[in-house]
Amino acid sequence: MDSAPQQPQAPVEFETDPGRYRHWQVSHDGPIARVKMCVDPAGGLRPGYELKLNSYDLGVDIELADIVRRMRFEHPEVRVVVLSSGTDNVFCAGANIHMLGQSTHAWKVNFCKFTNETRCEIEDATAHSAQVWIAAANGTCAGGGYELALACKEIYLQDDGNSAVSLPEVPLLAVLPGTGGLTRLVDKRKIRRDRADVFSTTAEGFRGKRAKDWGFVDGVFARSKFDAEVMKRAKAIADAPAGLAPGERRGVTLGSIKPELAERARIYRHVELSWDSAARTAQIVVRGPSAADVAVVEGGAASIHAAGDQLWALRAFRELDDALLQLRTNHLDIGLVLLRTAGDPARVLAHDAALWAARDHWFANEVIRHMARVLRRLDLTSRSFFALGDLSPTRAEGERTPCFAGCLLELALAADRFYLLDDPAVKVGTSALNGGALAMSHGLSRAAARLYGEPDKLEALAGGQGLMDAEAADEAGLVTVRLDGIDWEDDTRVAIEERASLSPDALTGMEANLRFVGSENETSKIFARLTAWQNWIFIRPNATGPEGALSLYGKPQRPHFDWNRV
Amino acid sequence: MDSAPQQPQAPVEFETDPGRYRHWQVSHDGPIARVKMCVDPAGGLRPGYELKLNSYDLGVDIELADIVRRMRFEHPEVRVVVLSSGTDNVFCAGANIHMLGQSTHAWKVNFCKFTNETRCEIEDATAHSAQVWIAAANGTCAGGGYELALACKEIYLQDDGNSAVSLPEVPLLAVLPGTGGLTRLVDKRKIRRDRADVFSTTAEGFRGKRAKDWGFVDGVFARSKFDAEVMKRAKAIADAPAGLAPGERRGVTLGSIKPELAERARIYRHVELSWDSAARTAQIVVRGPSAADVAVVEGGAASIHAAGDQLWALRAFRELDDALLQLRTNHLDIGLVLLRTAGDPARVLAHDAALWAARDHWFANEVIRHMARVLRRLDLTSRSFFALGDLSPTRAEGERTPCFAGCLLELALAADRFYLLDDPAVKVGTSALNGGALAMSHGLSRAAARLYGEPDKLEALAGGQGLMDAEAADEAGLVTVRLDGIDWEDDTRVAIEERASLSPDALTGMEANLRFVGSENETSKIFARLTAWQNWIFIRPNATGPEGALSLYGKPQRPHFDWNRV
């Protein structure tokens, strides 16, 4: 199936910074930022393809994700981000087809997932940080390029008789516009579904008036006036009242979280990722906040702001995010991730209470929103997760107990199972952060998803924040399996071995279904309906077989289809 | 991909009747009906497998679908249907694995879709006809067997130290419980998702008390008392007040709709299905009601009831249902279906108005609910649909105009595109039946889905029922492309040829995404998230490759997995 050559490749690193960008230019003018896509054709993450016409690969998108994140933390004064191209006549040609054509199925799926998450982060910035992204398509805007524009709040298109918006994936490549395109057409922009059908099967797309009249763009301007009109619109948004969160709008620079690398581990300050390929398992340990970390947040909004990127809640979750991305891309052979926490659960609750009290401050808000995005990344990671709440006598004093409380309880609630040791030293607890501030992508809090059928327990949990022992946590509905010290080792070992013996594909599908109880929304539809269909189409011969349309793109030979429907 | 042998097989017929059942026994005792699964091992629809242990194939499910439908129309006195097994110690072992193992991907997908629809029909009977299905699992209830039980409102399990409910698909077969199992665990029965995870990876399932305590069944009874306790519960439901729809509860027998078969056509009384394999297109023509048909419904509820299965609205939609099932199973090479109507649109509106006025009568209610189910089958059919509203001078007098009005306008609204001829003789119209009575599986009316972004137009449509010309229909948002007589032939020909040239897989995925705008519910999650994942898993080597778990089931060789996650 994954017939593409699988040379050993250097692991992908997801950390970057503006000094290293190869593909983007960012400039600032007070409340208006400009982000220009200027993809270096020779700057592909992998050999074998050229990133022509502002097409992108994972490396280009890693930089974009960094821009989106830094814009919120480092430039809180920015109200509007104008996204355009540094190349005349081409806004963005979408994901690089040759890169897709030579990639394994797993690479394609992970690439699409990451780009989808980045586009959701753009929408999250508009929704929760009053940073409005607008797409200024100063040239052709095709496939993934138009999908990137669709993630922006408004889309403007140059009217030059040539520039068009299009989703040519179905007619040209026999795959879907899988980076949210189909969903955002009908669910976000509310374009009539029959018109979306015409559009998505018309390779050349729509230009000018038709694009505007049918709702595919918000405005078209002549080439000579394009930049001026877009900037006029940007200024209008920047000048409009926005109910900005209070607090001195001094940006917080995101320094490196570079981990120490061991042979089978990445050791960050608060997070440790280790893996055991033979057992097909990995472990992530998150250390809770220290007393000093708690003192910082208890100092209030100004103290939190002053801590900047060294704030525990920001740093620990950035590290967790990086660990998850490492697992997804560089450790495909790891099927099961054991989630552990180490520290004092009472401190986590104190930390959460203080952070929550400061949530009106723009920076505290950004920190909480960031935690939510990282946890959503966890929900969407196609690995089994078991949270293990046991004691670790070998760890340092103060780190021997688990601390699945508040924001770290979310790890246990995101996990497919939560094993908890029945021991007086083991406590679990809830904070205000479990109430929905860190909600899943389909809108439910993880506690509400876990207790979907037990609203009384959910209410009791919301009312009675604080620590509880293992038995009380079990009765509260938070624990999958509660074990005493005698059974712990054997029972968890068997469960881990059993899990690691099951088919990775079946588990991926099962977890994707069980995790997202309740009704779906636009975002979850992108990761469920759209992505799941794309997953299937990506391994159909009509797309990726030797005579498939994706495989033959750019070659003189025409694709050959199996015409049977299923 | 479809590596299974593809011998030419006899086409599948979906019509059956109680006199021909091979696999089920149905008995009646006033308000309580008993349906017993007694699968004939030698009665497989295809050669090459034995239906042991009450396992099922499409043939078994075609009979079940017939039972569910007839129970509503022919036995309106029935309040409770007790579903059990005629075989001791086995309720149902699920879909036959050997049948799945030897089937093509398309066969598996279509089989799963049909069984899913049948289980939704069971829930629909409980929801809209006060016919409560309860599962009496007098023996092991595994995989698709438990999924069948999950479609019932209540599940009772024999407590004999052996009988269990289980979903062993993931651990034993490396596929999903794809007949709604995963979704119904967490969304319908609201079982905690971590417990559902344990259950769905435990091949032997849960028995007795644990099954009851964790919510997988509603009660367990000792073997000696099982039947008596279940019947006591059935009687309690039958005796409870239910707000039954009025009308004499005399059943309506569903006679055969057997069509006349031509070489490339099936000609029913009101519906004509024809196909052109070279062009990869089919056509369905639905004839609107005659003046006499309208007179029958205008006679009121008693007249409607007296018409029985000859009622236009029942017969025409049964015929349409059969045509859709034929296309899905026996005509995989047909990618595009042209939907046409023929008749007087004013008559359709008069028909709808009279049927709607009688909707409180149990039989009129059943007729409307049936129309809704057939239209949902259309939404879920993986074929492109273009509705074509033009004139047909060669047809008989009174059938030369299209009649996309009311219940037949739903065909145009379900279609991916609606082409309408701009001619004074062509009218379109809405009736009360377009307001939600025939809603899609995710709960929106087709008009609401079509006009998702134009609530004003939707409201105008609801307020101003009646006929409109092509221009007004276009302005109302109902028409994709309005063409005059000069352009009609060329433009529709090009559109049809273009559509038929695109990859069937990509179109299937695209249509599944664009058709279901808005939020998802339990039913649509089954057909979207769950089914789409299963589609992917069904063609992964871990399941269906030569060393996949599904392929090797029952053989001594152990499956070999590619351990990489994606």
Side-chain angles (χ1 to χ4, degrees), chain B residues 12-47:
Chain B
V12 178
E13 285 292 339
F14 287 84
E15 252 214 305
T16 187
D17 60 69
R20 290 190 277 165
Y21 294 166
R22 287 190 73 165
H23 307 294
W24 300 87
Q25 290 172 6
V26 183
S27 61
H28 290 272
D29 182 8
I32 297 177
R34 300 205 60 154
V35 173
K36 284 194 183 179
M37 193 172 198
C38 317
V39 177
D40 175 0
L45 191 66
R46 295 286 191 238

Side-chain angles (χ1 to χ4, degrees), chain A residues 523-538:
Chain A
T523 305
S524 68
K525 282 171 80 176
I526 290 173
F527 290 102
R529 194 180 273 267
L530 182 55
T531 301
W533 278 108
Q534 180 80 305
N535 248 17
W536 173 69
I537 290 165
F538 267 160

Side-chain angles (χ1 to χ4, degrees), chain B residues 133-173:
Chain B
W133 284 65
I134 65 178
N138 52 330
T140 280
C141 188
Y146 181 49
E147 291 181 296
L148 177 56
L150 282 168
C152 297
K153 187 145 188 277
E154 299 179 1
I155 306 173
Y156 297 96
L157 177 65
Q158 191 165 285
D159 192 6
D160 53 14
N162 190 41
S163 294
V165 294
S166 65
L167 292 177
E169 284 86 344
V170 171
L172 291 190
L173 306 172

Side-chain angles (χ1 to χ4, degrees), chain B residues 70 73-76 250-254 305 307-309 314 362-363:
Chain B
R70 285 182 197 276
F73 281 107
E74 301 188 355
H75 302 281
R250 177 173 45 76
V252 167
T253 303
L254 299 178
H305 192 187
D309 70 338
L314 178 53
W362 77 265
F363 178 66

Side-chain angles (χ1 to χ4, degrees), chain A residues 88 162 165 187 268 273 448 482 487 524 544 552 554:
Chain A
D88 254 6
N162 189 42
V165 293
D187 276 316
Y268 307 82
L273 166 66
R482 177 164 54 103
D487 292 330
S524 68
T544 55
L552 293 179

Side-chain angles (χ1 to χ4, degrees), chain A residues 15 83 100 252 338 367 401 410 444 450 540 543 555:
Chain A
E15 253 215 303
L83 179 65
L100 286 175
V252 167
L338 310 175
V367 169
T401 55
E410 294 290 316
L444 286 188
R450 184 65 59 126
R540 295 286 286 178
K555 297 184 182 149

Side-chain angles (χ1 to χ4, degrees), chain B residues 270 286-298 312-313 342-356 371 396-409 427-431 433 466-467:
Chain B
H270 304 297
V286 182
R287 281 194 199 80
S290 67
D293 292 326
V294 174
V296 165
V297 282
E298 289 187 336
W312 174 85
D344 178 351
R347 270 198 209 132
V348 187
L349 295 191
H351 165 276
D352 283 8
L355 184 61
W356 184 245
M371 296 164 96
E397 179 72 31
E399 296 186 354
R400 286 176 191 160
T401 57
C403 56
F404 287 108
C407 64
L408 295 184
L409 177 64
K427 307 275 186 199
V428 157
T430 57
S431 79
L433 287 183
L467 290 177

